Amino acid sequence: MASHRKSRPAGTRVAGIRTPALATAALTSVALLSQSADATPSADGAPSLEEVEKKVDALYRQAESATEKYNAAKERTGKQRKRVDTLLDDVARRTQKLNEAREELGSFAAAQYRTGASAPDTATFLLADSPQDYFDQTQLMSRLTTRQKGAVDDYVTEQSATMKKRREAAQGLQTLTETQSDLHTAKATVQRKLSDARAVLSRLTAEEKARLAAIEKEKRGKAAEEAAELAKRQAAEKAAQRQPDTSASSSSAPSSGAYSTKAQKTLAFARAQIGKPYVWGATGPDSYDCSGLTQAAWKAAGVSLPRTTYDQVNAGTTVSLAAAQPGDLVFFYDDVTHVGIYIGDGMMIHAPKPGAYVREESLYYDGESAIHSVVRPA
């Protein structure tokens, strides 16, 4: 996708986003673990801190992937439920009209019976296996009055339309059932992965958590340094762009200004959410998951984004990391399962993981190789 993406040597990247708050200490980067006995299994065969970190990190990444699948299934389920409800309402209306048409034909049959005039005609129609069976009896049709023929035509038309809508509704219900199954599967996967991660973390000793917390602090310092380097590169690129043709840059100013205005509203909203908890599947206002936060923030600026990271990554123009501007969406990992809002100087606002809170953080919190792409949504 974007030109800034780096190749990823096989086997060197630990998939996952750091989980802050309660679980932060146990979820630090393997690359930052010191060359110590912690990197190798203990004499009693217990897993090393490195192995624990890998396992927990993988579980949280799998939970986040399942969360985006859950979000997608939930959105599909909502749309399909609305469609099915519409179809069922239409079927009910058409069935009522069909019953009214049948009653009208029945009144004709009753009148004919009372007068003794052409009694079999309408009755034969009502008792036929299908309207077509009746119409095949052309000699009977010829005896009907114009009004009776009109009533028969209305009945046949309504019956055909009603049967079609019933088939559509049945198909819609089947699709809805399948999507609800996907929804329940994704939900169960998220819950299972989070439960497994908590179980692993619960087995860490206080000393182990303290050692990993120190490493996490060191990792954050390195990420901040990388963010500062990015800020320098971006400043240099902006300076270079201002040098050549000023007329060309002035012609693009209105569009840049319009984006800047929307981005400011987006960032103002995002900053107001800092400190609110990450909750998977949440879209606010009291809690968010990563794509729920970015969707809500850009909505505050009047821009409608899709629900999931999979769709948001295609909802705008891809730009290079060096050209990133405040308000741009930054996506992470090859499976595009995390997103944050760029605020400048190599920093972003995002909803990290369960157990964490919306916060500002370096784009490099999980290393440069974790960055997938940058998208400008408006």
Side-chain angles (χ1 to χ4, degrees), residues 93 194 241 275 305:
R93 287 193 298 269
L194 295 180
Q241 289 176 346
L305 290 181

Side-chain angles (χ1 to χ4, degrees), residues 12 35 58 88 132 144 186 188 229 234 247 260 293 333:
T12 62
Q35 299 294 325
L88 290 175
Q132 189 59 51
L144 296 177
E229 287 297 320
Q234 290 176 330
S247 62
S260 178
L293 176 64
Y333 308 109

Side-chain angles (χ1 to χ4, degrees), residues 79-97 161-174 176-177:
K79 291 179 179 178
Q80 289 168 357
R81 183 176 288 113
K82 288 180 180 179
R83 180 174 180 272
V84 168
D85 287 345
T86 299
L87 286 169
L88 290 175
D89 288 344
D90 193 15
V91 167
R93 287 193 298 269
R94 291 181 179 278
T95 300
Q96 178 62 32
K97 290 180 66 177
T162 300
M163 294 303 295
K164 179 180 179 181
K165 289 297 180 181
R166 284 176 179 170
R167 287 192 296 269
E168 290 179 8
Q171 184 177 6
L173 283 169
Q174 176 63 31
L176 176 59
T177 299

Side-chain angles (χ1 to χ4, degrees), residues 114-330:
R114 287 194 301 269
T115 61
S118 303
D121 297 348
T122 305
T124 300
F125 174 80
L126 292 172
L127 294 173
D129 292 335
S130 71
Q132 189 59 51
D133 291 339
Y134 178 76
F135 284 122
D136 287 342
Q137 303 176 49
T138 55
Q139 70 279 14
L140 295 178
M141 255 322 257
S142 65
R143 302 178 195 171
L144 296 177
T145 66
T146 301
R147 183 182 175 189
Q148 288 172 325
K149 288 180 180 179
V152 170
D153 288 341
D154 291 344
Y155 180 87
V156 172
T157 300
E158 199 58 47
Q159 186 185 56
S160 177
T162 300
M163 294 303 295
K164 179 180 179 181
K165 289 297 180 181
R166 284 176 179 170
R167 287 192 296 269
E168 290 179 8
Q171 184 177 6
L173 283 169
Q174 176 63 31
T175 301
L176 176 59
T177 299
E178 293 170 356
T179 306
Q180 287 176 324
S181 176
D182 293 341
L183 181 67
H184 294 151
T185 298
K187 181 177 180 179
T189 300
V190 175
Q191 293 173 329
R192 184 174 66 256
K193 297 301 181 182
L194 295 180
S195 177
D196 291 345
R198 285 192 293 268
V200 173
L201 290 172
S202 69
R203 292 192 288 270
L204 291 177
T205 66
E207 181 183 356
E208 289 170 329
K209 290 179 180 180
R211 292 203 307 270
L212 288 177
I215 296 172
E216 174 69 11
K217 183 177 180 180
E218 181 183 351
K219 180 187 75 71
R220 287 176 179 273
K222 182 177 180 181
E225 291 175 3
E226 292 177 322
E229 287 297 320
L230 174 61
K232 290 180 182 178
R233 294 200 304 270
Q234 290 176 330
E237 181 165 313
K238 288 180 181 178
Q241 289 176 346
R242 286 194 294 267
Q243 291 296 329
D245 186 1
T246 55
S247 62
S249 61
S250 64
S251 66
S252 62
S255 131
S256 176
Y259 180 77
S260 178
T261 298
K262 292 177 180 179
Q264 288 174 12
K265 293 180 180 178
T266 298
L267 293 177
F269 180 93
R271 286 191 174 97
Q273 313 313 307
I274 290 176
K276 293 183 178 180
Y278 176 104
V279 174
W280 64 274
T283 57
D286 299 321
S287 59
Y288 299 89
D289 62 17
C290 67
S291 55
L293 176 64
T294 52
Q295 183 187 50
W298 268 102
K299 183 179 180 180
V303 176
S304 179
L305 290 181
R307 174 64 182 94
T308 69
T309 54
Y310 310 131
D311 293 326
Q312 288 182 10
V313 74
N314 296 315
T317 303
T318 301
V319 299
S320 68
L321 184 58
Q325 295 180 12
D328 290 350
L329 302 179
V330 185

